[in-house]
Amino acid sequence: MRRDEDSPLSLPGGGEVDSAQAPGEGTAVLGLERKLAGKLLETMGNPPFALTLWDGRTLEPAPENPVARVHIRDRGAFYRLLRHPDLHFGDDYAAGRIEVEGDLAELLTVVDLTRQQRHGHGGGRPGLTSRLHRARRNTLSGSRENIHHHYDLGNDFYALWLDEDMVYTCAYFADPEMSLEAAQRAKMDHVARKLRLEPGQTVVEAGCGWGSLARHMAREYGVKVRAFNISTEQIAYARERARAEGLEDRVEFVQDDYRNVTGSYDAFVSVGMLEHVGTDNYRDLGAVIDRVLADHGRALVHSIGRNRPIGPMNPWIERRIFPGAYPPSLSEMTEIFEPYSFSIQDVENLRLHYARTLEHWLARYDANEEEVRRRFGESFVRAWRLYLSGSIAAFRAGSLQLFQMVFTRPTGNELPWTREYLYPAQAE
Amino acid sequence: MRRDEDSPLSLPGGGEVDSAQAPGEGTAVLGLERKLAGKLLETMGNPPFALTLWDGRTLEPAPENPVARVHIRDRGAFYRLLRHPDLHFGDDYAAGRIEVEGDLAELLTVVDLTRQQRHGHGGGRPGLTSRLHRARRNTLSGSRENIHHHYDLGNDFYALWLDEDMVYTCAYFADPEMSLEAAQRAKMDHVARKLRLEPGQTVVEAGCGWGSLARHMAREYGVKVRAFNISTEQIAYARERARAEGLEDRVEFVQDDYRNVTGSYDAFVSVGMLEHVGTDNYRDLGAVIDRVLADHGRALVHSIGRNRPIGPMNPWIERRIFPGAYPPSLSEMTEIFEPYSFSIQDVENLRLHYARTLEHWLARYDANEEEVRRRFGESFVRAWRLYLSGSIAAFRAGSLQLFQMVFTRPTGNELPWTREYLYPAQAE
């Protein structure tokens, strides 16, 4: 996110309160406004947090044991919240016009759970959100722009709060108390085991981040990997580390779109890319896998997902943090497999692992807040804190899932009889 | 299947060769007919079996190492095969007008694999097959008729070739060499573990067969089970065995449709019923589960499935053996979950386990062939041999799958961190 460019006062898309017409800020809260605030909380199912308005007074009745206290610092933020809370809470939080006293992730978890209880099936405004969504198509050039926005913020930035291997996807906490570093290695091993890699085999990876999985598979499983990514900064980093580790002959990093993958491979893997592909392109992704996977091949797709298709995740995240991102439901994911010759072998939902991963990231991020502030400014610090906390909330509350899907060709019978091989004695 | 009633000469649905107009039987094979036979094999992708026509001569060129030899005994069967091989092969095989020398299951596997290679995505005639399919709706009364057709052939009949617990669903071969009895117990344990049953909890089962899983869960896991089934003979048997085993206070067998399930339960389980539900009713099934599953509940659906939605399985099986049956693809199965408050936790594909299960059943069936013949006659013997062999073929060739799906409510966090608990040391 670039400050100034995306200020909440110049939001695209229309429908916002015109600040010229909104009541002036700093003035006393009107009786009508207290009623509107009460209505807002009611719409949210009255989640147990305290709400303080810009006159410093807390809305009555306040809940008995509030998980946190939300301060709306001015009238403009209040009216924007009424209009479209999912979008404007983020912008006004980032700008400091909304502040939270207490555990932000816990607050957002409770809000999410309350909403689910109230709306049953997730609620939301599919009409509006899908219109917003359509603005950010993942065409070849659209994807480049979208990916650049998020992943090219600078490797140094991500190094402040990711693990030492720079893995920016859900870890696997075989033991919930293991370190982030250990859990990321456990994830890479879990993926590699699911792919049943054998020395000398070839693997193609679509969307390789900073290359940690590609290097891990080459180093620990003796396979040859071609890994694709369109992020300039990530590819440069990935190549540099492969050189430093002497893995150049076994890992090739290609700066190109997954749609341009060629060749034939024993395994296809994609961890954390599908979120950026867009449902419109799932058939194309399936066609790519169908084209490059050998007859005896194994494929794994690891992606954030949802329990049902209801538009993009949070519109603020989609606009400010992850343009073009969309977490699919299982029915949407089947568009990748069912038009082609594939057979689903295994699906595992690891949502609690992502909540845990994000807790580690947030703790490291908070510890490095000063450095982030120095480089990007206060509003950026707050926006990313909100993004990490909101993601923790979504995985804790069960409104986001993490699906790992393993699939093969339909006809081969070289399948393991049980999944016990995924669970060797945990002696790590 | 009742003999005489369903003779291939009075097939419903039209489109068959009029036997009055067809060339007389027993006459010499015409040159044109040899060409048509060659064409038929070509359409099938030239699978490696030898084909002998009613004049006793084998079609040239015969494959070098044929897996089997198919004899078409008369001209009527030949013309019916040309029209609609998937339907008429079964009827004419049952009537003895088509015979197979060699391993029937192996022949059918090879035919299935060849067809997949040729057609890529399964081929078939969706137009015709879905029209046939629509004839057998699973309404409340339709389901009763359909289930009666298959499951009320007599418990004695099934006892001839099922295991001692009368489990008529895919077993779980934790070790492929284990006995059928052990593999069925392993399956029931695998299901019970996936449901994370604890003593004193309540379970509702939709479609309980002869009651083996319900009794197993009550006996081995200390839960209280209400089990539903609309088959009169199965329910009578299930109750009798529960009485004999002293489980009456913990297992209640209800002769009713799954749509009439009431109450609230810690676990919902359905093993081998979904095949008989019909996609039109998946939303209703989901609504039933949504209504009766407790907030912390776990649910498991175990069903034959397919890699993509392409109409009913084999039309002959759907007509003669399993009226109303339909194996769904994953995208179709998501209709049960996505309209409601559920979250998929785990999907496992056990298709090779079903091939293995069926091999055991077929061996026992073959060993008891005389008894089946005495009770039902030759045509029935042959029809069921074909059904069991064809099912082996479909699971071996990967045109049928066996999906076990575990799902929960979206919001609870009482989920195990890994699936290792499903794999205790195999000391059985």
Side-chain angles (χ1 to χ4, degrees), chain A residues 30-67:
Chain A
L30 305 172
L32 172 69
E33 289 167 337
R34 297 208 156 265
K35 274 194 189 146
L36 286 172
K39 264 278 183 257
L40 176 64
L41 294 181
E42 208 184 302
T43 321
M44 297 168 74
N46 288 312
F49 65 82
L51 179 62
T52 301
L53 297 181
W54 56 98
D55 61 356
R57 279 167 55 203
T58 294
L59 207 71
E60 300 296 337
E64 267 190 37
N65 297 303
V67 294

Side-chain angles (χ1 to χ4, degrees), chain A residues 163 165-174 178-195 205 212-214 216-217 221 269-272 300 302 348 350 353-354 357 361 402 404 422 426 428:
Chain A
D163 68 310
D165 283 327
M166 299 282 278
V167 188
Y168 188 27
T169 50
C170 174
Y172 179 68
F173 291 87
M178 69 205 298
S179 71
L180 178 61
E181 270 70 14
Q184 288 295 9
R185 281 193 299 273
K187 187 265 300 292
M188 295 190 280
D189 285 328
H190 201 50
V191 165
R193 280 188 202 116
K194 285 185 173 181
L195 289 170
E205 183 180 12
S212 51
L213 177 61
H216 186 87
M217 292 188 296
Y221 295 83
V269 66
S270 179
V271 174
L300 182 145
H302 164 125
E348 183 174 18
L350 297 170
H353 296 253
Y354 218 151
T357 306
W361 290 345
L402 193 290
Q404 278 190 345
L422 295 176
Q426 306 285 343
E428 297 178 26

Side-chain angles (χ1 to χ4, degrees), chain A residues 113 116 120-121 172-176 190 194 290 306-309 329-332 334 337-353 356 395-399 401 403 405 408-420 422-426, chain B residues 113 116 120-121 172-176 190 194 290 306-309 329-332 334 337-353 356 395-399 401 403 405 408-420 422-426:
Chain A
L113 284 171
Q116 288 187 57
H121 302 159
Y172 179 68
F173 291 87
D175 169 355
H190 201 50
K194 285 185 173 181
D290 196 40
R306 295 257 279 235
N307 291 329
R308 62 188 69 84
S329 76
L330 273 190
S331 66
E332 291 173 311
T334 59
F337 317 112
E338 295 195 356
Y340 305 99
S341 282
F342 296 127
S343 186
I344 299 288
Q345 300 301 335
D346 184 18
V347 181
E348 183 174 18
N349 187 339
L350 297 170
R351 92 171 145 85
L352 291 184
H353 296 253
R356 195 84 170 139
F395 286 106
R396 274 191 201 155
S399 60
Q401 316 300 315
F403 294 121
M405 312 191 73
T408 63
R409 295 300 189 179
T411 49
N413 286 344
E414 298 309 303
L415 302 166
W417 281 86
T418 82
R419 301 180 302 196
E420 206 180 352
L422 295 176
Y423 305 95
Q426 306 285 343
Chain B
L113 284 171
Q116 287 187 56
H121 302 160
Y172 179 68
F173 291 86
D175 169 354
H190 200 49
K194 285 185 174 181
D290 196 41
R306 295 257 279 234
N307 291 329
R308 63 190 67 83
S329 76
L330 273 189
S331 66
E332 292 174 310
T334 59
F337 317 111
E338 295 196 356
Y340 306 99
S341 282
F342 296 126
S343 186
I344 299 288
Q345 300 301 337
D346 184 18
V347 181
E348 183 174 19
N349 187 339
L350 296 171
R351 90 171 148 86
L352 291 185
H353 295 252
R356 195 84 168 141
F395 286 107
R396 275 190 200 157
S399 58
Q401 316 299 316
F403 294 121
M405 312 192 72
T408 63
R409 295 299 189 181
T411 49
N413 286 343
E414 298 309 302
L415 302 165
W417 282 87
T418 81
R419 301 180 302 196
E420 205 179 353
L422 295 176
Y423 305 95
Q426 306 286 342

Side-chain angles (χ1 to χ4, degrees), chain B residues 64-97:
Chain B
E64 266 190 38
N65 298 303
V67 294
R69 180 175 300 274
V70 176
H71 298 267
I72 300 181
R73 294 294 190 201
D74 68 43
R75 178 170 267 139
F78 174 68
Y79 279 92
R80 282 189 293 273
L81 260 192
L82 290 180
R83 285 279 184 171
H84 195 182
D86 282 344
L87 180 61
H88 294 306
F89 180 84
D91 283 331
D92 283 310
Y93 176 85
R97 284 185 289 259

Side-chain angles (χ1 to χ4, degrees), chain B residues 35-197:
Chain B
K35 274 195 188 145
L36 285 171
K39 264 278 183 258
L40 176 65
L41 294 182
E42 208 185 302
T43 321
M44 298 168 74
N46 288 312
F49 65 82
L51 179 63
T52 301
L53 297 180
W54 56 96
D55 61 356
R57 279 168 55 201
T58 295
L59 207 70
E60 299 296 336
E64 266 190 38
N65 298 303
V67 294
R69 180 175 300 274
V70 176
H71 298 267
I72 300 181
R73 294 294 190 201
D74 68 43
R75 178 170 267 139
F78 174 68
Y79 279 92
R80 282 189 293 273
L81 260 192
L82 290 180
R83 285 279 184 171
H84 195 182
D86 282 344
L87 180 61
H88 294 306
F89 180 84
D91 283 331
D92 283 310
Y93 176 85
R97 284 185 289 259
I98 294 176
E99 293 200 277
V100 172
E101 236 184 294
D103 187 326
L104 181 58
E106 196 48 33
L107 167 73
L108 298 169
T109 305
V110 162
V111 166
D112 195 335
L113 284 171
T114 312
R115 170 152 53 179
Q116 287 187 56
Q117 273 159 20
R118 183 166 173 80
H119 293 287
H121 302 160
R125 302 182 186 182
L128 177 59
T129 49
S130 35
R131 244 181 303 130
L132 284 174
H133 183 53
R134 270 198 283 279
R136 307 272 196 163
R137 282 289 167 90
N138 287 295
T139 55
L140 281 169
S141 66
S143 288
R144 264 196 302 276
E145 255 175 60
N146 289 339
I147 292 305
H148 176 73
H149 178 105
H150 189 90
Y151 293 100
D152 290 345
L153 282 168
N155 297 337
D156 293 351
F157 167 62
Y158 289 100
L160 290 176
W161 50 278
L162 293 180
D163 67 311
E164 63 201 19
D165 285 326
M166 300 283 277
V167 188
Y168 188 26
T169 51
C170 174
Y172 179 68
F173 291 86
D175 169 354
E177 299 310 321
M178 70 205 297
S179 72
L180 178 61
E181 270 71 14
Q184 289 295 8
R185 281 194 300 272
K187 187 267 299 291
M188 295 190 280
D189 286 327
H190 200 49
V191 165
R193 280 188 202 116
K194 285 185 174 181
L195 288 170
R196 289 178 279 126
L197 301 180

